[in-house]
Amino acid sequence: MYRSFLLALASACLFLPSCSSTKVPVQEEVAAPSPAPPNYHVEKEFRAAWVATVANINWPSKPGLSTEEQQREALQLLDFLQQHHYNAVIFQVRPQADALYKSDLEPWSYYLTGQQGKAPEPYYDPLEFWTEAAHDRGLELHVWLNPYRAHHTAGGPISEQSIVKKRPELVVQLKEGYHWLDPAQQGTQDHSYAVVMDLVKRYDIDGVHFDDYFYPYPSYNGEEDFPDDVSWKAYQQSGGTLSRGDWRRQAVNQFIERLYKGIKTQKPHVKFGLSPFGIWRPGYPASVQGFDQHDQLYADARLWLNKGWIDYFSPQLYWKINQIPQSFPVLLGWWDQENRLRRHLWPGISVGRDSSAGNVQEIMSQIMITRGMLPNSKGVVHWSISSVTKNPPMAQALLKGPYKNDALVPASLWLDDKKPEAPSVSTEVQGDSVRVVWVPKDEKDAFRTVLYYQYGQAWNYKVLTRKDRSFTLTRALPGKAGAPQPLLKVAVSAVDRVGNESERNEIAVPQAGI
């Protein structure tokens, strides 16, 4: 699909290779960026997909694959995201108090090798591999962790290295076979905090991400209450006066606030994202019915958004537009009203994995509704990556429609509002082609590059990766009635890690000989 997309662009003479004809002298950089930017602006929209490793949902396809097979599958997923104009991947690195990376705190994941505690052979660090490969493709890499799940029913035998065995006082067993860390225990909070901060310190990640699993869903324990009698009685004996529900919520609240502040202290540019259940409480807003995460998961997600303890918020709005008790735009509008500090609101979307025209149209419509309701920071997260990689009609519709053009991740101005310096730019005419070359003023401030180009009166752009330092354009495009549209100007900007775009350094392209 992507090959045909490139061929279509090539037929428009955009990606012509350099020619061997006589070269026109290099056009030197202008003294300063153009005071009036081009009239074409790069799209800014968060386009992400979750990659689940628990139960081998998305990657790797099964436990025990060789290193080569794991890496090949990873690159196929990342190539797909780049080719389909996504700009972020949310990669699950801690599905059950384990690690898909080298950790001194928790064992290697069963989902990697089929044996908890066993490293990949030949050895490599999957998170390091995913991070570098994502960045090479212009994708942000967000690590996704489950803060409290200690063991999943699909997680193989519990090893001696598991926290279930090493810290049994922190763990409770649920009736459906899961093991869960007790969120109210200080030892749980300290351990999970240490795990997150270890990741932030040692890896060049762009974000930390939690989903909707705080206290477990009641179905995980046979619809009975969470078995935390020991810690609850200890709290009461210490003089605690909160109700049991408020006490549980307080424990989660304290952890979320502590974690946000810790991440910002260590690496301010690393975003903290949360993806709670899509309904805060039934009746909010009035037409909404359904599960009550406030009383069942003890997740006061509205408070976290109100307080700004997150950088982006992705409530799981996995319902259709016209599903009145859980309507997608109605819920999105309510969450937007609660977004008092104007953090990014990028909903999670998933209404099915079938390839029917109705399902495809529903997703297209949800994306367009999000753009209309949240024009200052557009974006969605797709659950999960398989919903597009294994659904060609969906992938094609996205690429031909809302994801037709590249997009930058919207800037997080509360983290950093300083623009990078504009790159230096030069052009070299080579026969029927023009090679554009740029040099960033600061390599660390050039996570991505935007190349703008003007044919006739029309501007367009291409978003390039951290590795790109040149690009070749054709000198003219066919116009109406056969009149060529010459390449008149090019402009280049640098984009930093939090999405700030520099001014555009614009230069004219020599026209002699066209």
Side-chain angles (χ1 to χ4, degrees):
M1 186 181 303
Y2 183 61
R3 183 176 298 172
S4 63
F5 176 64
L6 287 181
L7 289 173
L9 288 177
S11 67
C13 304
L14 181 58
F15 294 99
L16 286 178
S18 301
C19 299
S20 57
S21 306
T22 302
K23 296 181 180 180
V24 175
V26 171
Q27 171 70 24
E28 296 298 334
E29 175 189 356
V30 293
S34 170
N39 58 5
Y40 198 98
H41 298 278
V42 61
E43 290 187 29
K44 296 183 179 180
E45 179 175 55
F46 191 65
R47 300 174 185 170
W50 279 289
V51 175
T53 58
V54 64
N56 298 99
I57 291 174
N58 297 133
W59 182 90
S61 59
K62 61 181 180 181
L65 294 180
S66 68
T67 292
E68 182 181 1
E69 290 171 319
Q70 289 180 13
Q71 292 180 348
R72 182 172 66 250
E73 288 187 355
L75 293 180
Q76 287 173 348
L77 294 176
L78 292 170
D79 284 342
F80 177 93
L81 293 175
Q82 181 189 25
Q83 293 161 3
H84 288 76
H85 299 166
Y86 288 71
N87 50 35
V89 57
I90 300 175
F91 175 51
Q92 190 176 33
V93 299
R94 192 207 193 206
Q96 53 168 19
D98 55 0
L100 281 91
Y101 59 95
K102 177 66 177 72
S103 173
D104 293 330
L105 300 174
E106 295 184 321
W108 284 100
S109 178
Y110 165 84
Y111 304 115
L112 275 176
T113 61
Q115 179 181 331
Q116 191 173 65
K118 181 182 179 182
E121 295 179 2
Y123 176 81
Y124 83 113
D125 185 323
L127 177 54
E128 188 176 78
F129 180 85
W130 272 80
T131 302
E132 289 300 307
H135 288 173
D136 285 347
R137 288 158 177 78
L139 301 165
E140 289 190 355
L141 190 289
H142 296 224
V143 291
W144 163 22
L145 305 90
N146 291 96
Y148 303 123
R149 187 164 60 205
H151 194 76
H152 191 282
T153 54
I158 299 173
S159 73
E160 293 299 319
Q161 297 167 289
S162 169
I163 198 167
V164 175
K165 297 287 184 70
K166 295 179 72 174
R167 298 289 303 276
E169 76 280 6
L170 300 180
V171 181
V172 298
Q173 185 169 2
L174 307 181
K175 291 185 179 298
E176 301 303 320
Y178 297 87
H179 289 77
W180 218 263
L181 292 166
D182 182 352
Q185 293 211 40
Q186 191 62 45
T188 291
Q189 296 185 33
D190 291 345
H191 178 73
S192 291
Y193 179 84
V195 168
V196 174
M197 295 309 299
D198 178 55
L199 283 162
V200 173
K201 289 175 184 176
R202 293 195 296 118
Y203 292 91
D204 189 24
I205 58 175
D206 301 283
V208 172
H209 184 95
F210 290 165
D211 57 9
D212 54 323
Y213 291 102
F214 296 98
Y215 279 80
Y217 284 86
S219 60
Y220 283 29
N221 197 41
E223 302 299 334
E224 295 185 10
D225 195 22
F226 185 71
D228 56 1
D229 288 343
V230 173
S231 55
W232 169 238
K233 288 178 181 177
Y235 169 72
Q236 289 180 307
Q237 291 171 359
S238 71
T241 59
L242 294 175
S243 69
R244 199 163 186 169
D246 287 342
W247 166 72
R248 288 171 175 170
R249 279 183 288 272
Q250 181 188 60
V252 179
N253 293 341
Q254 288 173 340
F255 178 64
I256 296 298
E257 182 182 14
R258 176 187 179 189
L259 194 57
Y260 184 73
K261 291 178 178 177
I263 292 170
K264 295 301 167 253
T265 299
Q266 183 66 36
K267 287 183 181 177
H269 74 271
V270 173
K271 293 187 279 284
F272 183 39
L274 278 164
S275 180
F277 185 76
I279 298 170
W280 179 62
R281 305 198 72 179
Y284 295 85
S287 62
V288 167
Q289 304 170 24
F291 184 79
D292 190 334
Q293 69 173 309
H294 184 271
D295 271 4
Q296 299 292 312
L297 305 181
Y298 304 96
D300 194 353
R302 181 177 73 169
L303 176 71
W304 311 335
L305 182 60
N306 291 165
K307 294 288 189 179
W309 294 341
I310 43 86
D311 298 303
Y312 69 95
F313 204 65
S314 301
Q316 296 172 17
L317 304 186
Y318 296 168
W319 302 285
K320 294 183 179 180
I321 295 165
N322 293 327
Q323 188 169 328
I324 293 175
Q326 300 89 25
S327 168
F328 175 85
V330 171
L331 282 165
L332 183 61
W334 184 84
W335 283 114
D336 184 41
Q337 290 175 355
E338 294 297 330
N339 188 12
R340 298 174 183 174
L341 298 184
R342 309 320 300 169
R343 301 301 199 231
H344 300 301
L345 179 56
W346 298 324
I349 61 174
S350 177
V351 293
R353 294 168 178 78
D354 66 82
S355 58
S356 66
N359 191 49
V360 171
Q361 185 57 48
E362 177 73 26
I363 291 295
M364 301 302 114
S365 298
Q366 291 190 2
I367 291 172
M368 299 312 292
I369 284 172
T370 302
R371 289 179 173 184
M373 293 178 66
L374 307 170
N376 295 324
S377 181
K378 301 183 288 288
V380 299
V381 186
H382 293 261
W383 172 258
S384 66
I385 195 171
S386 296
S387 296
V388 281
T389 59
K390 295 182 179 181
N391 192 339
M394 182 73 73
Q396 185 177 24
L398 286 166
L399 190 58
K400 288 184 175 180
Y403 294 177
K404 182 177 182 180
N405 299 316
D406 294 326
L408 297 175
V409 174
S412 302
L413 299 178
W414 56 92
L415 300 181
D416 175 9
D417 60 359
K418 184 180 179 181
K419 293 182 178 181
E421 291 188 72
S424 60
V425 185
S426 62
T427 60
E428 184 178 352
V429 178
Q430 302 171 326
D432 292 333
S433 301
V434 176
R435 183 168 177 258
V436 186
V437 179
W438 57 91
V439 178
K441 297 294 185 183
D442 183 348
E443 293 283 347
K444 294 180 180 179
D445 248 5
F447 181 66
R448 302 197 77 175
T449 299
V450 185
L451 170 64
Y452 300 85
Y453 44 88
Q454 181 188 15
Y455 285 97
Q457 298 302 309
W459 281 93
N460 209 327
Y461 69 88
K462 184 169 182 61
V463 179
L464 300 164
T465 74
R466 64 177 183 172
K467 286 190 168 183
D468 295 311
R469 293 292 178 263
S470 67
F471 197 82
T472 299
L473 299 161
T474 184
R475 292 187 69 190
L477 292 177
K480 295 180 180 180
Q485 295 292 309
L487 177 63
L488 299 177
K489 295 179 181 178
V490 295
V492 180
S493 65
V495 183
D496 67 15
R497 290 294 291 270
V498 298
N500 294 308
E501 185 182 6
S502 73
E503 299 297 329
R504 306 170 195 182
N505 199 342
E506 179 185 315
I507 60 175
V509 176
Q511 298 301 302
I514 293 182

